[in-house]
Amino acid sequence: MTDILDELQWRGLIAQHTDIDALREHLSAGPVTFYCGFDPTAPSLHHGHLVQIILMRHLQLAGHRPLALVGGATGQIGDPRQSGERQLQPREVVAGWSDRLRDQISRFLDFDGPAAATMVNNLDWTAELSAIDLLRGIGKYFRVGTMLNKDIVARRLASDEGISYTEFSYQILQANDFLELHRRYGATLETGGNDQWGNMIGGVDLIRKVEGASSHVLTTPIITKSDGTKFGKSEGGAIWLDPEMMSPYAFYQFWLRVEDADVVRFLKIFTFLDRRRIEELEAEVAERPHARVAQKALATEMTRLVHGEAELERVLAATEALWGGGDLSAIDEKTLTAATSNLPRASLSLGEATIVDALVGTGLEKGRGAARRTVASGGAYLNNAKVEDEDAPFTESDLLAGSVVLIRKGRRNLAVVELS
């Protein structure tokens, strides 16, 4: 079996680490209990969190035991950002977001068997700490000079806004989480994003000073595109895992649009496809880039992983219906709305409007004469069916889910008409 660190390295999932030889020996010696933290600073996880979950899953498949920490305490503060102070959310909001994150994380890990995962919440031990307990029991082990030298702290101190004591203290709470999980569960490894390296090392130092024990840290890289820009923004914002915040269709389309220069690297990072399959897809990119076979595999694997097989089938059916001429009537309203959200649209009257009105109203044609010529030449379609009568009004039998019809000019020019 391939060494787990070699596998993670091949997939591009390792950025920094403590002593790599010691960590390799530690992982080889037997099941290791490790943890990764997720702060509820929003009502959903996004693709960046997914990198951490995938790393956890790889380690679990290799026989190691994950602790998935939801930061019910640290989420009330939020780790320092480069862009300035976070807006503190009410405690009940953070509690609600914590529950949502727990539900999301639980879908990706196994909670039975010898490597069963455990969900934990740092509010369970942090809420019990008084200010005196925190200062005497934890704060005395931290040196202010070291804390000031953390990259994000130094940048914030140099900014006009500075940094509050609240966010400055976040690193102490995160380090204490590692100490508590070491005491309660025997955790000896923390994983996380590379931007958390300084906070994570603080936990290693705290365990050494308080318990006299060694522990380890492993970070994943911040995912960027081949041009060096940050990866993971859509037209609507972040790539959320919650289907209410980003529809499965939009999620699928996002991954489908990945550039050729990035797709193989993202297949390694974000999917569990084996080396042979990824190498096959890499050959497809080189030999038939126009077919976008690798992008289709990436979008399929990601949608299945995050939203499940049933949603994937709905997305594929909608994609085929929209762009391949399939049956539009089988698409449910929610999926159809998501799939057509960025198309040109117009509002017209049911029983009066015709295909000519629709072509002009949506901007697919500039005038009624041009619209009539398109119909006459066989280039106009209503719900994927060719229109031959330019004067026939739309009727209730034409309506798709949500009281709309889909019109098309030629092969690729689509628009939506809302009929009332």
Side-chain angles (χ1 to χ4, degrees):
M1 181 178 178
T2 303
D3 180 274
I4 183 59
L5 289 181
D6 290 340
E7 176 72 11
L8 296 176
Q9 190 72 56
W10 176 78
R11 289 184 175 274
L13 282 168
I14 297 179
Q16 295 189 81
H17 46 74
T18 46
D19 188 326
I20 192 66
D21 293 329
L23 178 56
R24 190 183 302 275
E25 182 178 350
H26 186 52
L27 290 169
S28 300
V32 166
T33 300
F34 68 97
Y35 99 93
C36 183
F38 302 86
D39 273 348
T41 52
S44 173
L45 300 173
H46 55 65
H47 77 287
H49 300 114
L50 188 58
V51 176
Q52 308 311 319
I53 294 172
I54 288 171
L55 175 66
M56 295 178 76
R57 182 62 176 154
H58 279 297
L59 287 168
Q60 185 178 43
L61 290 172
H64 304 293
R65 296 185 291 262
L67 302 173
L69 182 148
V70 175
T74 46
Q76 296 185 39
I77 296 172
D79 58 319
R81 300 183 304 175
Q82 296 187 31
S83 56
E85 290 285 323
R86 292 181 182 273
Q87 179 179 350
L88 299 183
Q89 299 293 333
R91 293 185 179 185
E92 59 272 16
V93 170
V94 176
W97 289 354
S98 295
D99 291 339
R100 294 181 65 165
L101 264 58
R102 285 173 62 94
D103 291 341
Q104 287 185 322
I105 295 168
S106 65
R107 298 200 300 267
F108 297 96
L109 301 172
D110 287 335
F111 289 82
D112 297 305
T118 302
M119 297 290 302
V120 294
N121 188 329
N122 58 18
L123 189 62
D124 292 343
W125 54 83
T126 308
E128 301 171 354
L129 279 175
S130 68
I132 295 298
D133 292 336
L134 178 65
L135 294 174
R136 284 178 57 87
I138 305 299
K140 67 180 180 180
Y141 295 104
F142 286 81
R143 293 294 173 262
V144 172
T146 302
M147 296 173 70
L148 291 173
N149 285 331
K150 298 289 175 64
D151 287 343
I152 186 62
V153 173
R155 285 196 292 269
R156 286 284 296 280
L157 284 173
S159 69
D160 293 336
E161 187 174 3
I163 187 171
S164 69
Y165 182 75
T166 300
E167 288 195 0
F168 178 66
S169 302
Y170 182 93
Q171 55 188 296
I172 296 179
L173 295 181
Q174 183 170 337
N176 186 52
D177 288 342
F178 199 174
L179 175 62
E180 283 294 331
L181 293 175
H182 177 77
R183 287 170 168 171
R184 296 176 182 225
Y185 298 95
T188 52
L189 170 65
E190 181 180 2
T191 64
N194 203 39
D195 55 344
Q196 292 293 313
W197 171 261
N199 292 343
M200 295 163 72
I201 286 297
V204 172
D205 291 340
L206 184 61
I207 290 172
R208 177 178 52 81
K209 291 174 181 177
V210 176
E211 300 293 328
S214 62
S215 55
H216 305 270
V217 163
L218 180 68
T219 67
T220 59
I222 304 303
I223 307 302
T224 59
K225 295 186 287 188
S226 57
D227 61 6
T229 59
K230 190 173 181 179
F231 170 73
K233 290 291 184 181
S234 69
E235 292 181 3
I239 310 306
W240 300 109
L241 306 191
D242 188 327
E244 299 300 323
M245 297 176 67
M246 185 177 194
S247 73
Y249 182 88
F251 186 83
Y252 177 89
Q253 292 295 322
F254 171 81
W255 297 100
L256 196 61
R257 292 193 296 268
V258 166
E259 298 290 338
D260 290 345
D262 296 317
V263 66
V264 174
R265 183 162 54 93
F266 292 168
L267 282 165
K268 292 178 181 180
I269 292 172
F270 288 101
T271 79
F272 292 90
L273 294 176
D274 60 29
R275 294 192 186 203
R276 178 180 296 180
R277 180 57 181 147
I278 291 177
E279 288 168 357
E280 291 172 351
L281 292 168
E282 187 172 17
E284 290 280 0
V285 174
E287 296 168 9
R288 297 193 305 143
H290 60 280
R292 301 186 71 77
V293 175
Q295 281 88 345
K296 291 175 183 176
L298 177 63
T300 296
E301 290 297 318
M302 294 305 300
T303 307
R304 179 185 289 117
L305 175 67
V306 173
H307 296 295
E309 191 68 37
E311 284 293 347
L312 172 63
E313 291 178 2
R314 279 191 279 271
V315 166
L316 293 176
T319 303
E320 173 62 23
L322 284 173
W323 304 106
D327 183 11
L328 289 165
S329 64
I331 305 176
D332 63 276
E333 181 177 352
K334 186 175 180 181
T335 303
L336 183 64
T337 299
T340 60
S341 61
N342 294 322
L343 295 179
R345 56 203 315 119
S347 296
L348 299 173
S349 298
L350 183 66
E352 297 178 10
T354 67
I355 187 66
V356 172
D357 298 318
L359 288 169
V360 175
T362 58
L364 294 187
E365 288 291 6
K366 294 182 179 179
R368 299 182 69 82
R372 291 191 181 95
R373 288 191 292 272
T374 295
V375 176
S377 65
Y381 296 80
L382 170 64
N383 298 338
N384 287 337
K386 186 181 292 185
V387 179
E388 297 180 352
D389 184 356
E390 66 179 49
D391 296 319
F394 298 138
T395 65
E396 288 189 6
S397 62
D398 296 319
L399 296 179
L400 302 173
S403 299
V404 301
V405 295
L406 187 72
I407 63 169
R408 177 159 52 93
K409 173 192 171 185
R411 291 178 58 83
R412 308 297 293 178
N413 298 302
L414 295 173
V416 177
V417 176
E418 300 169 347
L419 293 164
S420 58

